[in-house]
Amino acid sequence: TAMKLVVTGGAGYVGSVCAARLIEAGHEVVVVDDLSTGHADAVPGGARFIEGDAAETAETLLGEGFDGVLHFAAKSLVGESMQDPGKYWNGNVVTSLRLLDAMRVHGTPRLVFSSTAATYGEPDSSPIPESAATRPTNTYGASKLAIDHAITSYARAHGLAAVSLRYFNVAGAYGAYGERHATETHLIPIVLQVATGDREQVQIYGEDYPTEDGTAVRDYIHVVDLADAHQLALAGAAAGEHRIYNLGNGTGFSVRQVIEACREVTGHPIPAAVAPRREGDPAALVAAAGRAREELGWTPERADLAGIVGDAWRFTQSRRGATAPR
Ligand code: UFG
């Protein structure tokens, strides 16, 4: 059934893809984004767009009566969170608490929250189930974990139907919607910048990890599979409950394997140089994502790494076409 939804952060990478898919599924979507890291032209056509702070806007907007909120708006750079923690405690935690209160005041029944694998920190074992200990190694992960705790108690006390989705490494694109950060730190877009000639080489952060080829291993998930999980979460949320699901494919790829996949997809040699480890990077983060499959009926259909990279590559090339000087 069609719902009336607020999508915070709908001008960002994951938020814009999810908003586009929600609109295609027949939902009514209002995007709220302050454009601090998002792009106005990434807001899907068909969405109403309000430029503003997520909490401040929600405090009045939710009075119109909504079926739910999908809360993507957040600060999400691990390195920055260590240099400028206030930006994360205020921008993520305080904003989300105000949003929760606005939902309570206006009786908004459903919340889907963008949590992260960074809530787990360095895992005791791999793959990581939702029952794993949460010991974030950076302020970004700590801020998302604090919000998860707040959601649990709001759901219990106020009857909110809440789902937190703990993303592993989101990648790929959906047509015109994809990853374009002013400050790019993510592996696949960086490697593709080498293929377009915008960057000379990729640095491999550490070759002495206890993994098969010595480089760090991650679980890459296609942004469209991720978006599908949000729709299932929205449908499956139950009043008074806060459910938490890992979203990943359960397969790890090393930094070298990702670079190799990018070479095959782009046909570019992509020079790589080994550099020191990046502070706070765990050796391997792979999801045990059985709970989302069993309880939400989620079936990721785009797990193939070459397919994920291929979609990101098409998006990167189309953006270059869109921004090239004439
Ligand atoms: N990497 C490189 N060279 C680069 C960029 C990245 O070798 O130029 C490596 C990283 O060290 C890491 C892997 O590639 O081992 C993936 O790095 P990303 O920055 O793409 O992703 P992360 O795994 O660091 O981060 C992701 C999410 C974060 C989240 C984190 C959980 O993007 O939001 O997982 O640890 F916090």
Side-chain angles (χ1 to χ4, degrees), residues 131-146:
S131 57
T134 43
R135 293 176 303 229
T137 53
N138 53 64
T139 303
Y140 165 66
S143 74
K144 289 283 186 170
L145 180 60

Side-chain angles (χ1 to χ4, degrees), residues 7-20 29-44 47-52 72-73 177-181:
V7 174
T8 75
Y13 169 40
V14 175
S16 65
V17 172
C18 287
V29 170
V30 180
V31 165
V32 181
D33 198 301
D34 66 4
L35 301 182
S36 57
T37 54
H39 310 274
D41 65 355
V43 177
R48 178 175 146 207
F49 175 44
I50 301 174
E51 183 180 342
F72 299 96
Y177 307 101
E179 199 169 5
R180 46 184 177 119
H181 298 116

